[in-house]
Amino acid sequence: MTKKATQIPLPLSYPDSGKWFVPVKRIKIDDRTWALRLGQPVQLGTSYDVAEATGVGRKILKRLARAGFIQEMRPSPNVSMYYYTEVLDLMERTRKDPNFWTQVRRDAYLKGSRMEDASTL
């Protein structure tokens, strides 16, 4: 008896459900063939998980959070968690807008100050 795969319905219809990220695992079959497996939908990930999935380093995630570009949750003093989709959305914004990194945004990122403290965007 084989088990049939079932789809997991995402609670996207709920107003406060947030955005979901579905990680994809690549499985190499041969030299030219790959199989893709969808993982479980997640919203938050540790800095290690988000860095691995997005390619953005852990130190860069910390700097982006300090500048106010993304949110950071700290469930304990040694664990930082981030929303996958916020990081991916920021990457998309910088791709679409070549002038995204204005002097004020660049200074906020490099100095670790909040964007709200900056005078203008």
Side-chain angles (χ1 to χ4, degrees):
M1 177 179 217
T2 61
K3 292 185 178 181
K4 187 174 181 179
T6 59
Q7 292 183 349
I8 300 171
L10 299 178
L12 296 177
S13 60
Y14 301 126
D16 295 331
S17 66
K19 294 182 178 180
W20 291 83
F21 173 74
V22 181
V24 176
K25 181 179 180 182
R26 293 185 309 162
I27 303 167
K28 188 172 184 176
I29 297 174
D30 59 30
D31 290 339
R32 300 183 315 171
T33 309
W34 292 84
L36 301 178
R37 288 276 166 117
L38 295 178
Q40 293 182 351
V42 292
Q43 285 184 313
L44 285 168
T46 63
S47 59
Y48 292 100
D49 296 334
V50 174
E52 183 180 331
T54 62
V56 178
R58 294 175 54 228
K59 289 182 181 180
I60 294 173
L61 290 171
K62 177 68 76 179
R63 281 185 151 188
L64 290 171
R66 283 188 184 147
F69 292 108
I70 60 174
Q71 294 179 45
E72 177 184 41
M73 275 57 72
R74 306 259 328 185
S76 74
N78 298 325
V79 177
S80 296
M81 299 186 84
Y82 304 95
Y83 286 102
Y84 288 92
T85 53
E86 281 188 354
V87 177
L88 295 172
D89 288 344
L90 179 65
M91 290 171 65
E92 185 66 17
R93 284 176 56 197
T94 59
R95 184 186 69 79
K96 286 183 178 177
D97 183 9
N99 300 320
F100 176 82
W101 288 106
T102 62
Q103 188 63 40
V104 174
R105 288 180 175 151
R106 186 181 316 239
D107 289 343
Y109 172 78
L110 293 174
K111 295 177 183 176
S113 60
R114 301 284 303 169
M115 287 299 295
E116 292 85 21
D117 298 338
S119 59
T120 60
L121 292 176

